C-alpha cells in the first residue's frame, strides 16, 4: 500500500515562488509514488482573511494554480477543506485534548496575534498573553487563530497521512501535530494515530527568501514573485532586488540581501550558473545586474509555462467544479471512516 501524503495551502492570495518551491513543486513530484491528498485551506484562511468575495476568488485561483503546476486530479485527491464537514467535527473533538498554553506559545500565533492587536514589535519578550487577556479595545485576537494548529493537525490525522510536504515555517505546526497524535493515543490507550513528518526528498526544508533583503518570501511581506507575474513585472521585481555595494576583498562573507539572491539562484538555476556567480563574487568581479538578469531568466523558465496554464484553466468553471467535487467525495470517504473511529474511541456512541 502506498504511503499517505497530505498538504494544503491557505486560500489567502496568489501563489508565489516560496509556495512553489516550499510546497507545490513537491506535491507534483510526489503524486506518482504516494497516495496524495492536496487541499485548499479555506477554513484556515478565515483566521486572517474573513472576506467572502476575496475568499471565493482565492479558492478558485489556488485550485487553478495546483492544476497548472501539474497536480493531476486522477492521481491525487484535490479538495477544498470546507467541502469536508468531518474536519470541523473532528477539530472540535481534538480541541478537548489541546492546551491553550501550548497554543499560545506557538510562534505563528504570537506573530499573527500581534498583528491583530496592532502591536509593532516582534520581540519575543513582550507579554502577548497579558496583552490578549487585558485588551478591551475593539481589537481582538480570534479564537480560530489560537486553535489553528488543532485544525491543521486534524487535516493531517483525519487521513492518517504520514508525510506532509511543507516549507520550513510549518515545522512547529507539524511538531504540534505529532504531539497531539501521541497524546490522543496515550489518553485512550490506543495505537491509533501515526506521527507525520515533513517531506523534502531527503534534503533540508526549504525557505525561499524575499527580494527585499531580509526574511522569507511571503504574501503578507509584500516581497513576492507570483507564479502569475507577467514577464515585465517579474523582470522589474528581480532587477529591483536589494543588494549592497559589492565585495571589496576576495572571499568576503555575503551580506544577507546578497546571500538571499544566491539562495534564490541555487533554487532556480543550474549548478554551473551558481558556480560562475559565486566565483565572480569571491574574486570581486561580480556585477549584480548580470546576476539579476540571469536570475530573472531562470525564474521565467519555471513560471512562464505555469502562468500560461493558469490563464487557460482559471475560467473553466465546469472543469474546476468537477475536480473538487470528485476530490471531496474521495476525501470524505477517508475522513468519515476516521471520524467514526475517533467518535467510537472517545465514547461518543449511542448505546440505547
Ligand atoms: P504565505 O507565508 O505566503 O502566507 P502560506 O502560509 O499560505 O504562505 O504557505 C503555503 C505553503 O508554502 C506552506 O507549505 C509554506 O511552508 C510554504 N511557504 C510559504 N512561503 C515560503 C517560503 N518563503 N519558502 C518556502 N516555503 C514557503
Ligand atoms: N498551515 C499551512 C500554511 O500556512 C496550511 C495548512 C493547513 C496545512 N492545514 C495543513 C499544510 C495541513 C499541511 C497540512 O501554509
Amino acid at each position: 500500500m502506498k504511503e499517505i501524503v497530505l498538504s494544503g495551502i491557505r486560500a489567502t492570495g496568489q501563489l508565489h515562488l516560496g509556495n512553489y518551491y516550499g510546497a507545490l513543486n513537491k506535491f507534483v513530484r510526489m503524486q506518482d509514488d504516494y497516495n496524495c491528498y492536496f487541499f485548499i485551506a479555506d477554513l484556515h484562511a478565515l483566521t486572517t482573511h474573513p472576506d467572502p468575495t476575496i475568499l471565493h476568488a482565492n479558492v478558485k485561483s489556488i485550485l487553478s494554480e495546483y492544476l497548472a503546476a501539474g497536480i493531476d486530479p486522477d492521481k491525487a485527491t484535490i479538495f477544498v477543506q470546507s467541502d469536508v464537514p468531518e474536519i470541523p467535527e473532528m477539530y472540535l473533538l481534538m480541541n478537548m485534548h489541546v492546551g491553550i498554553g501550548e497554543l499560545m506559545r506557538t510562534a505563528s500565533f504570537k506573530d499573527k496575534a500581534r498583528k491583530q492587536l496592532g502591536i509593532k514589535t516582534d520581540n519575543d519578550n513582550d507579554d502577548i498573553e497579558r496583552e490578549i487577556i487585558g485588551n478591551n479595545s475593539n481589537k481582538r485576537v480570534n479564537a480560530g487563530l489560537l486553535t489553528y494548529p488543532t485544525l491543521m493537525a486534524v487535516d493531517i490525522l483525519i487521513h492518517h497521512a504520514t508525510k506532509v510536504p511543507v516549507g520550513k515555517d510549518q515545522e512547529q505546526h507539524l511538531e504540534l501535530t505529532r504531539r497531539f497524535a501521541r497524546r490522543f493515543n496515550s489518553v485512550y490507550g490506543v495505537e491509533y494515530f501515526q506521527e507525520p513528518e515533513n517531506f523534502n526528498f531527503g534534503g533540508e526544508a526549504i525557505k525561499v527568501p524575499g527580494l527585499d533583503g531580509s526574511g522569507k518570501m511571503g504574501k503578507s511581506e509584500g516581497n513576492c514573485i507570483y507564479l502569475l507575474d507577467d514577464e515585465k513585472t517579474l523582470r522589474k521585481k528581480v532587477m529591483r532586488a536589494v543588494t549592497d555595494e559589492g565585495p571589496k576583498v576576495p572571499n568576503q562573507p555575503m551580506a544577507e540581501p546578497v546571500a538571499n539572491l544566491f539562495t534564490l539562484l541555487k533554487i532556480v538555476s543550474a549548478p554551473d550558473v551558481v558556480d560562475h556567480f559565486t566565483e565572480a563574487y569571491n574574486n570581486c568581479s561580480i556585477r549584480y545586474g548580470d546576476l539579476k538578469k540571469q536570475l530573472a531568466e531562470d525564474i521565467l523558465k519555471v513560471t512562464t509555462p505555469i502562468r500560461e496554464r493558469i490563464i487557460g484553466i482559471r475560467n473553466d468553471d465546469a472543469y474546476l467544479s468537477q475536480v473538487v467535487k470528485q476530490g471531496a467525495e474521495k476525501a470524505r470517504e477517508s475522513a468519515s471512516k476516521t471520524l467514526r473511529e475517533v467518535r467510537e474511541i472517545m465514547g461518543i456512541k449511542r448505546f440505547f
Side-chain angles (χ1 to χ4, degrees), residues 44 91 95 98 103 109 142-152:
H44 274 111
Y91 156 78
N95 259 333
V98 171
L103 293 174
F109 172 71
N142 71 67
L145 189 66
L146 182 66
T147 52
Y148 185 113
T150 316
L151 184 57
M152 177 157 164

Side-chain angles (χ1 to χ4, degrees), residues 73-227:
D74 291 326
K75 291 182 183 162
T77 302
I78 305 175
F79 66 99
V80 181
Q81 190 181 28
S82 61
D83 281 345
V84 182
E86 289 78 8
I87 295 170
E89 183 174 341
M90 186 163 138
Y91 156 78
L92 182 142
L93 298 174
M94 188 60 93
N95 259 333
M96 306 305 165
H97 297 296
V98 171
I100 51 176
E102 60 194 341
L103 293 174
M104 276 184 141
R105 287 190 293 274
T106 310
S108 63
F109 172 71
K110 289 194 190 178
D111 235 37
K112 289 182 175 141
R114 277 190 200 100
K115 280 193 191 129
Q116 294 190 357
L117 290 174
I119 300 172
K120 288 267 169 339
T121 68
D122 61 355
N123 175 357
D124 236 13
N125 294 324
D126 60 12
D127 194 347
I128 188 78
E129 288 86 353
R130 198 162 34 195
E131 287 285 344
I132 291 168
I133 293 168
N135 187 287
N136 51 13
S137 70
N138 57 3
K139 288 193 179 123
R140 69 191 129 70
V141 177
N142 71 67
L145 189 66
L146 182 66
T147 52
Y148 185 113
T150 316
L151 184 57
M152 177 157 164
V154 167
D155 290 330
I156 298 166
L157 299 175
I158 206 164
H159 297 294
H160 295 280
T162 47
K163 297 218 167 352
V164 183
V166 281
K168 202 171 170 49
D169 60 317
Q170 294 299 313
E171 288 197 326
Q172 193 178 23
H173 287 149
L174 273 186
E175 189 54 53
L176 285 168
T177 303
R178 287 190 283 272
R179 201 197 289 173
F180 301 159
R182 278 198 299 276
R183 187 175 298 155
F184 184 92
N185 290 347
S186 90
V187 166
Y188 295 104
V190 289
E191 276 304 315
Y192 186 65
F193 288 125
Q194 273 181 275
E195 295 183 31
E197 52 184 36
N198 196 351
F199 183 77
N200 243 314
F201 294 96
E204 285 264 298
I206 286 183
K207 178 178 142 188
V208 178
L211 293 171
D212 50 353
S214 69
K216 71 158 199 164
M217 185 176 288
K219 282 169 224 148
S220 36
E221 324 342 282
N223 60 3
C224 294
I225 293 179
Y226 292 102
L227 297 178

Side-chain angles (χ1 to χ4, degrees), residues 7 9 15 23-31 36-39 62-79 309 313 319 323:
S7 193
I9 298 183
L15 298 188
L24 192 50
N25 180 35
K26 294 194 274 183
F27 299 179
V28 177
R29 290 172 62 197
M30 294 178 91
Q31 64 182 345
C36 294
Y37 292 84
F38 299 123
F39 73 102
I62 297 207
L63 175 61
S64 314
E65 288 169 319
Y66 274 6
L67 295 164
I71 302 179
D72 177 346
D74 291 326
K75 291 182 183 162
T77 302
I78 305 175
F79 66 99
R309 286 195 294 268
I313 291 175
Y319 176 58
V323 166

